[in-house]
Amino acid sequence: AAVDIMEKEGANLADRPRSIAAQETLTDRFGLLLEGSGERFRQLRSVLHAGLQPNFTETYEPIQTRHAKNLVLDIL
């Protein structure tokens, strides 16, 4: 009986329980790791995936270089 329930309701049972303190307070509702399965999770994952493609990450180099220079100057 338990196996039948898990097979039929697997998608509903695999979701994480909602944690208001961790998800909404600490991450301001943009934490992908704490997001339950659903449409919002798919949207966040899609945006994250698009921003981490190799051809897109090359555009981050000037920003990273500027921040690295600022960090070195702050340390000195």
Side-chain angles (χ1 to χ4, degrees), residues 64-76:
Q64 291 174 330
T65 302
R66 186 175 68 243
H67 283 286
K69 287 178 182 177
N70 288 340
L71 176 64
V72 170
L73 291 174
D74 287 343
I75 292 173
L76 297 176

Side-chain angles (χ1 to χ4, degrees), residues 15-31 33-37:
D15 201 6
R16 295 178 179 91
R18 184 170 178 231
S19 174
I20 295 172
Q23 185 176 4
E24 296 177 10
T25 306
L26 298 176
T27 64
D28 199 23
R29 300 195 64 229
F30 289 107
L33 294 175
L34 299 174
E35 187 67 40
S37 64

Side-chain angles (χ1 to χ4, degrees), residues 16-57:
R16 295 178 179 91
R18 184 170 178 231
S19 174
I20 295 172
Q23 185 176 4
E24 296 177 10
T25 306
L26 298 176
T27 64
D28 199 23
R29 300 195 64 229
F30 289 107
L32 184 64
L33 294 175
L34 299 174
E35 187 67 40
S37 64
E39 184 60 29
R40 181 172 167 78
F41 175 77
R42 284 188 284 278
Q43 289 173 345
L44 288 172
R45 186 181 63 189
S46 175
V47 169
L48 182 65
H49 180 73
L52 293 177
Q53 292 299 310
N55 57 351
F56 193 75
T57 55

